[in-house]
Amino acid sequence: MCGEGSFGQLGTGDNQSRNLPFEVPFFTTKHVEKLAFGMRHSLVLLKGNSVYGFGSARRGQVGKSASKNQKFYNIPRLIDGFRNCKIVNLYANGDHSAALDESGQLYIWGRSLVGEHDDDQPRAAFPSLSISQVALGWHHALVLSGGELYTIGAYRHQKRDPDVSEKAVVQQPNLTTTSSNHHESSSVSNLEKVPSIDGEKVARIAAGTEHSALVTESGALFTWGWGEHGQLGLGDTCDQVVPQRVNLGDSSSRSSASSLAVYCGSGFTVAVSPA
């Protein structure tokens, strides 16, 4: 690892930054399977289903703290909450953390995306969905289930366009979250379904700080959200409240989503198509 380490997110046991890559001693003899990195924290999935977190702990994003005043952990620490499931992927952005198990169950913790309070313990969310992909922003998240896209949270830059058609308004299903420890239902979430585009299923998703992107099963790219830096690729710097199609030029060589990948940085977007 290398880079800024003022919150211990490099896992070195100190809060020093590093300008050259180094091996993190804690993981030298361990088999790392997945990594995810937020604004000031890191998550690691090891073979054997152990999830570790380190870095900023202010919002609960690296698991349960010994004290409410704990600001960071600079040594990797085990995150409890996955004893009865097999984790296959990790996600992080901003102060949010998430994990997905092999059955499609989503677990979230850290800064609040669901409900009003931060959570320092992973909890199962939206058990009625079998989720295949997750993308986290700073204040929102995307989840994909059966080709249907759902959003969690909100965009700070979202302003309702009076010209947006009624059918483009997001639908809100009655879904709940549950505690991973007590399996009890909590309040109705702010999970919202994004209406399908021309009846097509969504194949891939990505999220930046405050913007989102999707690729349909036919390989079409759509973006929406914060557009101040031109990250939506629409030829302007306007925000968008619903997905807008991005013109990628000649698409004759793309017959499906399998030939187009999309990635979002903080304020930029990258689409990759094979030659």
Side-chain angles (χ1 to χ4, degrees):
M1 297 180 72
C2 58
E4 204 263 330
S6 61
F7 283 83
Q9 60 265 53
L10 300 182
T12 58
D14 59 38
N15 291 42
Q16 301 299 312
S17 298
R18 303 287 196 280
N19 56 22
L20 288 172
F22 68 95
E23 184 177 18
V24 181
F26 184 88
F27 298 110
T28 299
T29 60
K30 298 175 176 62
H31 184 102
V32 175
E33 293 195 334
K34 297 288 182 179
L35 301 167
F37 304 100
M39 181 165 58
R40 303 184 187 93
H41 74 289
S42 305
L43 301 176
V44 178
L45 172 64
L46 299 182
K47 184 178 182 179
N49 208 52
S50 297
V51 176
Y52 285 83
F54 45 104
S56 177
R58 290 178 174 178
R59 310 302 292 264
Q61 62 266 50
V62 294
K64 193 171 184 61
S65 298
S67 166
K68 290 184 179 181
N69 297 322
Q70 188 75 37
K71 295 182 178 180
F72 62 84
Y73 286 95
N74 53 30
I75 295 177
R77 56 197 301 272
L78 184 67
I79 299 176
D80 293 324
F82 308 111
R83 295 180 182 177
N84 300 317
C85 62
K86 178 174 175 54
I87 300 301
V88 296
N89 219 333
L90 295 175
Y91 309 90
N93 200 351
D95 297 320
H96 307 297
S97 298
L100 192 66
D101 74 14
E102 61 183 353
S103 71
Q105 175 63 64
L106 174 65
Y107 297 83
I108 55 177
W109 66 102
R111 185 174 181 172
S112 175
L113 276 171
V114 176
E116 300 178 356
H117 305 290
D118 298 343
D119 203 331
D120 61 5
Q121 291 182 292
R123 63 168 170 169
F126 320 121
S128 62
L129 294 179
S130 178
I131 295 169
S132 58
Q133 293 181 42
V134 179
L136 299 181
W138 277 19
H139 304 283
H140 76 289
L142 309 179
V143 296
L144 188 62
S145 176
E148 295 185 324
L149 179 62
Y150 298 83
T151 65
I152 312 168
Y155 299 94
R156 284 190 172 183
H157 295 266
Q158 181 169 323
K159 294 180 179 179
R160 177 64 63 189
D161 186 335
D163 295 326
V164 172
S165 64
E166 286 300 317
K167 73 174 185 177
V169 176
V170 179
Q171 304 165 10
Q172 182 169 358
N174 185 19
L175 295 174
T176 62
T177 60
T178 62
S179 165
S180 58
N181 292 326
H182 305 292
H183 304 288
E184 295 175 351
S185 174
S186 68
S187 61
V188 174
S189 76
N190 56 351
L191 184 78
E192 297 181 331
K193 183 179 178 182
V194 177
S196 64
I197 301 170
D198 297 327
E200 284 196 65
K201 291 185 176 181
V202 176
R204 295 186 180 181
I205 57 175
T209 300
E210 300 252 1
H211 76 288
S212 303
L214 66 84
V215 178
T216 66
E217 58 187 350
S218 66
L221 174 63
F222 290 78
T223 59
W224 71 104
W226 180 36
E228 181 180 354
H229 303 294
Q231 61 265 49
L232 302 185
L234 302 173
D236 56 36
T237 55
C238 298
D239 300 344
Q240 298 292 336
V241 298
V242 294
Q244 304 292 322
R245 184 161 187 163
V246 180
N247 183 3
L248 296 177
D250 182 14
S251 60
S252 60
S253 61
R254 292 194 310 276
S255 59
S256 69
S258 62
S259 61
L260 182 67
V262 64
Y263 308 91
C264 292
S266 175
F268 61 96
T269 305
V270 178
V272 181
S273 180

